[in-house]
Amino acid sequence: MENEQSYQVINESPRSKKLTWLIHHFQREWRLYIMLAPTLIWFILFLYKPMYGLQIAFKDYSVFKGITDSPWIGLEHFYTLFENDQFIRAIKNTVIISGASLLFGFPVPIILALMFNEIINPKFKKTAQTIVYLPHFISAVIIAGIVITAFAPSTGVVNLLLNALGYDSVYFLTKPEWFRTIFVGTGIWQEAGFNSIVFLASIAGVNPSLYESAVVDGASRWQMMWKITLPCIMPTILIMLIIRIGNILEVGFEMIIMLYQPATYATSDVISTFIYRQGLQAAQYDLAAAAGLFNAVIAFVLVIAANTISKKVSRTSLW
Amino acid sequence: MSGVKLEGVVKSYKDVTVVHGIDLEVKSKEFVVLVGPSGCGKSTTLRMLAGLEEISDGQVSIDDKVVNHIAPKDRDVAMVFQNYALYPHLSVAENIAFGLRIRKVPKPRIEELVKEVAHTLELTSLLERRPADLSGGQRQRVAMGRAIVRHPKVFLFDEPLSNLDAKLRTQMRAEIKQLHTKLGVTSVYVTHDQVEAMTLADRIVVMSDGRIEQIGTPMELFNNPINTFVATFIGSPPMNLISTTITSIDGLVYADISGNKCLLPQLENPCDLEVIIGIRPEYVDIVPVDNSSAVPIHVDLVETLGSEALLHCRIQESAFVVKVDTHGKVEHLKHLDTLYFRQDAITVFDKTTGRALSRSSVGCNA
Ligand SMILES: Nc1ncnc2c1ncn2[C@@H]1O[C@H](COP(=O)(O)OP(=O)(O)OP(=O)(O)O)[C@@H](O)[C@H]1O
Ligand SMILES: [Mg+2]
């Protein structure tokens, strides 16, 4: 059997050789492809097919003419965008808000995971974990509702607290200087616990005899955390960081929509909300598509860059 | 100097007791090996010594000082783990230096010590590598280096060689033995491999089910196992056991094997009729000698090992193994139909308790 096959292969041209290989490959592995299919289909339908519509970013799109028949206008929309102060402001706000989320939000789950890891009493540990995971499962609308209520000028807990301390009430949600703090803080409160799961799993994967060996060597818990736990979960931290950097331009859109108001646009209007207002509210689909495309290209470059740097620096990379 | 003493040491997890009161004294500079089947509590005992497990009852002392409530780091012991426990993010040099750094030893001194250890273990050229880039044997040596660099009072080894292949294991075994001779540090070594135990130990502790079965030098255990458990655990292939009955004629004791009378060594109290007689595969003769009894056999299989061969045969329907020198020929072994049991090569065990009723005198003669 084997000999016969290889004999055939030798006589065939390289192209049909590849084809034979492919046929054999499918015969052998078709089950894996079937399992892969739902994901592939999802990607094609919801991520690749819409890409066809991206061309309207370079067209003077009209709903009546349709995507194909609208005339090409080159980079016109991009010029318009970059002449638009609101778009420039949206880019700036996106970068600042994401940067702050990353800077303040990224370390929190790691710290939480390290802290959970130090809790010895299992009951206390479970309770504490449940409490910090909980906000993740609440829908954004309710979270926004909670935030709005908490910061309400006359009845919100925050202002009641301020009043009790002898300060005047502040209507936080109308103050552009407070928006970023509130938004970033809300994000951390909602997701830090849940995001810590990844790091906890990674910590659980650290070989326990490393700790035992360190105990015999005389290391304290604090030293073990710094010298063993952290370095051992560093690959996970870096992977998560790469993913976060890739998503840096994707600021939680629903949350901003629900928390911002024209009074705070100066600090709160980000690219996605800008696209939403231009595209859906003002029906300038082509301009919005151009803004979205710009966003995607930057994100793409960021992921590649972060991955490359990480690969060089720490041998860890997504691909 | 730095001996280790366990007195009535017990370990229980909630309501299960896994170590039932162990008494053991390890003398200074002695190499003691704990051996026993999987799950018998060897690691647990060692970890209690290291301070990684709390002691439920009894007393552990190192250097005549009770250490029951002393933290592992203050016991001045070093432990080598089965999976090496090397820090993946640190280089070989940093791994070796870890314990010293934690103890705030001055930098120049650390460098000096690491160099010295690397030299001893032939790791000098590997000092900058990460553990992931080392072979199994090299990792094992780094783990050893990390233990010896601190010059502890006691070394503890938990199956340090079980992740290595057979050849490397033999080599590392020799290296550990040499290292012990050179450094002369009190060592407690855990293994489930009786060959490792025999080759390394000054004294072997055979454990089973959380109890010590017997303590003795390798040859004591080999020649005079205290019960059938030790008899079958030590030695490879294990001691042959034959279940039989005894009769006493004119003050001499005989066992009945396949209808033949087999002369047994003198028993202190030869009243039990039901016994188990044990004889090592190495101590069976294929030609008659003084004081030997003939036993008919049927050879099933001859395994040729080169200078030696293993005869797998049958006596009273139970399997029986004989190890013989081939002197270059094996053909004649296949047709063997009689074996000769020397009186002094036989150990007699009580059938119900498994305890030895006689002491074999082979070792004494030799
Ligand atoms: N945390 C625990 N709770 C309950 N029982 C335990 C616990 N840890 C160990 N044991 C039990 O203690 C017994 C002894 O375990 P130990 O690890 O000392 O065995 P061992 O002799 O080292 O075996 P091996 O050769 O497989 O390493 C085992 O039966 C094990 O199931
Ligand atoms: Mg063990």
Side-chain angles (χ1 to χ4, degrees):
Chain A
M1 258 304 267
E2 288 244 357
N3 282 338
E4 219 171 289
Q5 260 182 20
S6 51
Y7 178 67
Q8 274 179 1
V9 169
I10 289 167
N11 277 332
E12 284 164 357
S13 70
R15 220 180 120 187
S16 61
K17 205 154 100 186
K18 236 181 194 160
L19 199 74
T20 341
W21 179 85
L22 216 69
I23 291 170
H24 279 295
H25 176 72
F26 271 107
Q27 274 172 350
R28 238 188 0 252
E29 313 285 7
W30 61 272
R31 294 167 196 84
L32 293 180
Y33 284 98
I34 288 195
M35 286 194 269
L36 195 60
T39 317
L40 280 182
I41 293 170
W42 186 85
F43 264 95
I44 290 168
L45 282 185
F46 295 104
L47 293 175
Y48 286 99
K49 190 172 152 276
M51 279 192 194
Y52 173 74
L54 273 180
Q55 54 180 291
I56 66 169
F58 306 97
K59 286 188 165 182
D60 184 11
Y61 177 66
S62 140
V63 188
F64 305 106
K65 287 186 194 152
I67 293 174
T68 346
D69 292 336
S70 300
W72 290 96
I73 52 161
L75 297 176
E76 189 68 43
H77 291 308
F78 292 91
Y79 294 133
T80 321
L81 273 178
F82 284 98
E83 276 158 17
N84 185 340
D85 287 343
Q86 281 191 23
F87 184 65
I88 303 291
R89 186 183 70 188
I91 294 179
K92 193 181 122 207
N93 283 339
T94 308
V95 170
I96 293 177
I97 289 183
S98 310
S101 300
L102 189 67
L103 193 67
F104 298 107
F106 188 73
V108 177
I110 302 172
I111 295 167
L112 267 179
L114 290 174
M115 278 163 43
F116 284 141
N117 189 45
E118 297 298 319
I119 299 177
I120 295 166
N121 183 330
K123 259 193 200 145
F124 180 63
K125 188 168 174 173
K126 273 193 191 132
T127 319
Q129 280 176 314
T130 312
I131 290 173
V132 295
Y133 294 166
L134 218 54
H136 169 81
F137 298 99
I138 301 174
S139 92
V141 182
I142 296 173
I143 295 276
I146 294 174
V147 171
I148 291 168
T149 317
F151 287 98
S154 52
T155 53
V157 270
V158 179
N159 276 317
L160 289 180
L161 218 73
L162 281 181
N163 294 345
L165 291 172
Y167 295 96
D168 288 334
S169 293
V170 183
Y171 193 178
F172 288 100
L173 287 171
T174 58
K175 301 260 189 262
E177 66 270 28
W178 280 106
F179 184 82
R180 288 170 186 152
T181 316
I182 292 174
F183 178 81
V184 171
T186 309
I188 293 176
W189 172 63
Q190 191 183 3
E191 294 299 341
F194 196 74
N195 290 341
S196 74
I197 291 179
V198 169
F199 299 109
L200 266 176
S202 177
I203 291 173
V206 179
N207 183 347
S209 60
L210 292 186
Y211 295 105
E212 292 184 337
S213 171
V215 165
V216 176
D217 274 343
S220 63
R221 286 191 82 100
W222 180 250
Q223 282 171 318
M224 284 194 270
M225 192 180 92
W226 280 104
K227 303 207 159 154
I228 300 173
T229 314
L230 258 183
C232 284
I233 64 168
M234 201 41 93
T236 312
I237 294 180
L238 285 172
I239 295 273
M240 297 312 285
L241 191 65
I242 296 171
I243 296 175
R244 278 294 290 266
I245 291 176
N247 292 343
I248 202 164
L249 295 187
E250 256 172 53
V251 174
F253 162 76
E254 309 101 319
M255 205 49 142
I256 296 226
I257 288 274
M258 285 181 289
L259 288 182
Y260 83 162
Q261 34 185 298
T264 56
Y265 276 0
T267 55
S268 65
D269 191 24
V270 293
I271 301 178
S272 51
T273 47
F274 175 82
I275 294 172
Y276 168 75
R277 285 205 317 279
Q278 294 301 320
L280 295 181
Q281 292 185 335
Q284 288 180 295
Y285 302 115
D286 41 8
L287 192 69
L293 186 60
F294 169 77
N295 201 1
V297 170
I298 301 285
F300 185 68
V301 171
L302 283 174
V303 178
I304 303 258
N307 193 58
T308 313
I309 293 170
S310 167
K311 207 192 272 182
K312 284 237 170 74
V313 175
S314 71
R315 302 191 199 179
T316 308
S317 61
L318 271 179
W319 64 85
Chain B
M1 194 181 73
S2 27
V4 171
K5 205 162 162 190
L6 294 108
E7 290 162 282
V9 169
V10 173
K11 177 70 195 178
S12 330
Y13 294 103
K14 295 201 179 111
D15 46 355
V16 268
T17 305
V18 295
V19 173
H20 305 264
I22 279 189
D23 293 296
L24 170 67
E25 191 170 351
V26 182
K27 294 197 263 316
S28 180
K29 302 194 177 180
E30 197 179 20
F31 200 112
V32 165
V33 175
L34 302 185
V35 68
S38 187
C40 70
K42 311 178 293 281
S43 299
T44 309
T45 308
L46 195 75
R47 292 162 58 82
M48 284 192 284
L49 254 175
L52 293 171
E53 299 278 356
E54 276 194 34
I55 299 156
S56 310
D57 197 13
Q59 188 168 301
V60 174
S61 7
I62 295 175
D63 236 359
D64 295 324
K65 195 170 124 205
V66 178
V67 295
N68 282 27
H69 299 294
I70 290 182
K73 66 179 164 83
D74 301 319
R75 296 190 182 192
D76 203 6
V77 299
M79 187 152 169
V80 179
F81 293 82
Q82 175 173 356
N83 51 21
Y84 320 132
L86 300 180
Y87 305 116
H89 53 281
L90 298 182
S91 69
V92 168
E94 290 166 325
N95 260 290
I96 296 176
F98 188 85
L100 300 175
R101 288 228 189 116
I102 293 283
R103 279 158 203 254
K104 304 250 153 58
V105 176
K107 269 237 170 75
R109 178 81 185 127
I110 293 184
E111 264 173 40
E112 199 178 307
L113 285 167
V114 169
K115 266 204 191 117
E116 190 185 304
V117 166
H119 180 73
T120 314
L121 294 168
E122 292 168 24
L123 289 169
T124 312
S125 59
L126 306 175
L127 282 177
E128 295 313 314
R129 294 224 199 143
R130 295 278 175 94
D133 306 332
L134 299 177
S135 73
Q138 290 166 338
R139 278 179 218 173
Q140 182 52 52
R141 276 210 286 271
V142 177
M144 299 277 299
R146 218 170 46 180
I148 64 180
V149 76
R150 272 176 33 214
H151 295 293
K153 279 189 201 144
V154 182
F155 281 145
L156 305 173
F157 301 88
D158 193 355
E159 309 210 14
L161 304 184
S162 56
N163 283 358
L164 303 178
D165 65 44
K167 200 171 158 200
L168 205 51
R169 198 157 13 178
T170 318
Q171 185 193 333
M172 287 304 298
R173 206 163 66 200
E175 283 183 26
I176 290 179
K177 187 78 189 165
Q178 279 170 7
L179 206 61
H180 179 252
T181 320
K182 192 157 148 193
L183 303 174
V185 176
T186 315
S187 305
V188 182
Y189 187 107
V190 162
T191 179
H192 60 257
D193 178 359
Q194 57 94 19
V195 179
E196 238 167 69
M198 294 290 278
T199 48
L200 283 172
D202 292 327
R203 280 193 304 152
I204 296 179
V205 179
V206 181
M207 290 181 64
S208 122
D209 278 337
R211 290 187 177 81
I212 291 181
E213 297 287 339
Q214 190 173 4
I215 305 178
T217 65
M219 283 324 277
E220 268 168 23
L221 297 194
F222 188 72
N223 290 323
N224 286 310
I226 201 166
N227 55 27
T228 48
F229 178 84
V230 178
T232 47
F233 197 83
I234 298 290
S236 167
M239 184 183 264
N240 294 296
L241 297 179
I242 304 169
S243 187
T244 180
T245 52
I246 53 173
T247 43
S248 196
I249 306 168
D250 297 339
L252 293 177
V253 190
Y254 295 91
D256 176 59
I257 299 174
S258 310
N260 285 35
K261 292 251 170 293
C262 173
L263 184 62
L264 296 186
Q266 280 304 319
L267 303 181
E268 280 151 31
N269 190 12
C271 60
D272 303 82
L273 283 177
E274 300 274 310
V275 295
I276 292 172
I277 66 167
I279 181 160
R280 294 242 170 242
E282 296 83 355
Y283 293 169
V284 180
D285 292 292
I286 55 173
V287 289
V289 286
D290 284 351
N291 275 338
S292 67
S293 320
V295 176
I297 50 140
H298 173 75
V299 177
D300 287 336
L301 174 73
V302 179
E303 270 187 303
T304 316
L305 307 173
S307 66
E308 292 168 327
L310 293 182
L311 303 187
H312 292 266
C313 27
R314 238 151 236 298
I315 291 182
Q316 291 184 349
E317 292 312 304
S318 50
F320 192 93
V321 179
V322 184
K323 199 179 208 175
V324 289
D325 290 336
T326 57
H327 303 295
K329 295 191 195 75
V330 289
E331 273 313 306
H332 65 289
L333 297 174
K334 289 179 186 156
H335 309 294
L336 220 56
D337 58 2
T338 318
L339 293 175
Y340 299 91
F341 291 2
R342 259 183 300 150
Q343 180 197 18
D344 59 6
I346 297 175
T347 313
V348 184
F349 300 98
D350 187 305
K351 191 162 188 176
T352 44
T353 63
R355 295 196 74 78
L357 299 171
S358 70
R359 292 176 70 81
S360 135
S361 43
V362 174
C364 313
N365 290 350

